[in-house]
Amino acid sequence: MTGIRVASVQFQHMPSDKAYNLERIRYFAGLASSSGVKLLAFPEMCVTGYWHVRNLDRAGISALAEPIPSGPSVDILRALAREHDLVLGAGLIEVGADGRFYNSYAVCLPDGTVHTHRKLHAFESEHIASGDRYTVFDTPLGIRVGVLICWDNNLVENARATALLGADVLMAPHQTGGTNSRSPHAMGRIDPELWQRRAEDPRAIEAEFRGSKGREWLMRWLPARAHDNGMFLLFSNGVGQDDDEVRTGNAMILDPYGRILAETWRAGDDMVVADLDIGLLPLCTGRRWIRGRRPELYGMLVEHRGDELEPRQARFSPEPTAAHRRNPLS
């Protein structure tokens, strides 16, 4: 098989409303199946809701969290994967066997197998822990799939490690865009009123989605993750008001050259579909360049510099980042 039909979904989840969110997933799974899709990506924490979680205490998060793969929400996801004969991924809060909570992404295969990725750089709550391993696995589609959640994708080391583990396709679920950033050139808040008036004035909110708070920001780095590592990439995202922020959607599918195969900037729930030409992988630029790596030069990438921060500190610290220079002769 050289062509695999895939889809990426954006939808506005309701906070803590699993029944509603799972119904939206059910709807899009059916729509994808009728379109011949075999691999389907939903957003980060779209089952449980996302940004409101930062305001919940431990008991509130515990009430939302479920074990994976034995929880009721994943039971529904597994049933949908089996019913529609597709590989389906969606995000939720997991309670682990260790009693800790994780921002996790469950990828369900038609045979009932579930692969779980725990976000490596979790910052949503002091009660949510970060994962400690990469997630790459075989599928019945004849391809290997990797998962990186939101901020995981912003560190180039994570994308490269996932590629080195053999990923052909990267599922990249997010809740991003419209974020209140301290950087003057990275996203920024979108007026919620523009979202609320999307039916009366769709051009105004779509301009924000296509601008520097949404698509333009993504184009500075997202295609490079696909191109530099020789992977197809499924970018799935929330859309619309999420507590006090507005997510920009921008669901898209990219090929291993970083070219956009399908995308949307619609201000609403939507799905984009594309056929992946797997025959592009063997000779794509990223894969050829990876074979020319010089690992003996990269030791500094795994050395502690002394200025590392925990994910929540790095995400929310108001302090500017000082330049860190190494003495090349030391």
Side-chain angles (χ1 to χ4, degrees), residues 31-53:
L31 184 63
S33 177
S34 67
S35 301
V37 168
K38 292 300 180 183
L39 175 62
L40 177 60
F42 288 96
E44 172 186 15
M45 279 174 61
C46 62
V47 173
T48 50
Y50 178 70
W51 200 224
H52 76 294
V53 168

Side-chain angles (χ1 to χ4, degrees), residues 13-32:
H13 63 256
M14 295 295 108
S16 298
D17 192 342
K18 294 182 187 178
Y20 173 86
N21 298 331
L22 287 166
E23 277 305 309
R24 295 308 290 159
I25 290 172
R26 187 186 304 278
Y27 166 79
F28 280 110
L31 184 63

Side-chain angles (χ1 to χ4, degrees), residues 20-324:
Y20 173 86
N21 298 331
L22 287 166
E23 277 305 309
R24 295 308 290 159
I25 290 172
R26 187 186 304 278
Y27 166 79
F28 280 110
L31 184 63
S33 177
S34 67
S35 301
V37 168
K38 292 300 180 183
L39 175 62
L40 177 60
F42 288 96
E44 172 186 15
M45 279 174 61
C46 62
V47 173
T48 50
Y50 178 70
W51 200 224
H52 76 294
V53 168
R54 77 192 193 283
N55 298 318
L56 299 181
D57 59 15
R58 184 174 181 83
I61 292 177
S62 179
L64 278 179
E66 299 182 17
I68 298 176
S70 60
S73 293
V74 176
D75 280 347
I76 292 173
L77 300 178
R78 293 167 79 176
L80 290 171
R82 185 180 303 110
E83 175 187 353
H84 296 295
D85 189 29
L86 51 75
V87 178
L88 180 155
L92 66 158
I93 300 174
E94 175 193 7
V95 57
D98 57 5
R100 296 199 293 177
F101 304 121
Y102 298 94
N103 175 342
S104 294
Y105 197 74
V107 183
C108 303
L109 276 54
D111 66 359
T113 301
V114 179
H115 296 278
T116 306
H117 179 71
R118 293 171 172 173
K119 189 173 184 178
L120 303 173
H121 306 275
F123 61 85
E124 296 77 20
S125 167
E126 63 181 326
H127 305 298
I128 294 179
S130 294
D132 61 3
R133 67 192 65 184
Y134 295 104
T135 306
V136 180
F137 50 89
D138 293 317
T139 70
L141 304 174
I143 55 172
R144 282 176 65 78
V145 170
V147 181
L148 293 172
I149 300 173
C150 204
W151 186 5
D152 294 352
N153 292 278
N154 292 117
L155 290 172
V156 296
E157 294 91 342
N158 291 331
R160 176 52 52 87
T162 300
L164 291 175
L165 288 169
D168 301 307
V169 176
L170 177 64
M171 300 179 82
H174 284 64
Q175 293 288 346
T176 195
T179 297
N180 184 25
S181 172
R182 298 186 310 282
S183 171
H185 300 293
M187 296 186 287
R189 285 190 182 277
I190 294 173
D191 185 351
E193 186 176 347
L194 294 179
W195 169 257
Q196 293 156 13
R197 297 188 65 253
R198 63 193 179 278
E200 294 85 358
D201 188 4
R203 289 187 179 183
I205 187 65
E206 288 176 4
E208 292 281 55
F209 283 13
R210 297 173 71 170
S212 61
K213 299 170 186 175
R215 186 182 188 275
E216 286 181 12
W217 172 72
L218 293 170
M219 289 300 100
R220 295 175 195 164
W221 59 272
L222 190 63
R225 300 298 180 267
H227 170 273
D228 293 355
N229 296 289
M231 302 182 290
F232 291 93
L233 193 152
L234 276 61
F235 173 82
S236 179
N237 192 21
V239 68
Q241 192 160 351
D242 184 9
D243 201 62
D244 66 342
E245 295 183 343
V246 177
R247 307 284 163 240
T248 58
N250 301 116
M252 69 178 73
I253 300 167
L254 300 94
D255 80 358
Y257 289 93
R259 300 178 299 182
I260 299 174
L261 301 178
E263 67 174 318
T264 180
W265 45 78
R266 179 171 174 262
D269 296 0
D270 206 356
M271 180 178 77
V272 294
V273 178
D275 293 313
L276 307 189
D277 180 0
I278 302 303
L280 293 177
L281 290 171
L283 289 177
C284 69
T285 310
R287 291 201 171 189
R288 290 189 296 110
W289 286 352
I290 284 175
R291 294 188 67 186
R293 290 184 315 124
R294 296 183 60 193
E296 68 273 12
L297 297 178
Y298 310 145
M300 70 180 72
L301 295 178
V302 294
E303 294 176 2
H304 287 279
R305 304 194 322 174
D307 63 351
E308 290 83 7
L309 298 175
E310 293 296 320
R312 281 179 58 78
Q313 292 176 300
R315 173 65 175 78
F316 297 114
S317 172
E319 298 300 321
T321 301
H324 188 95

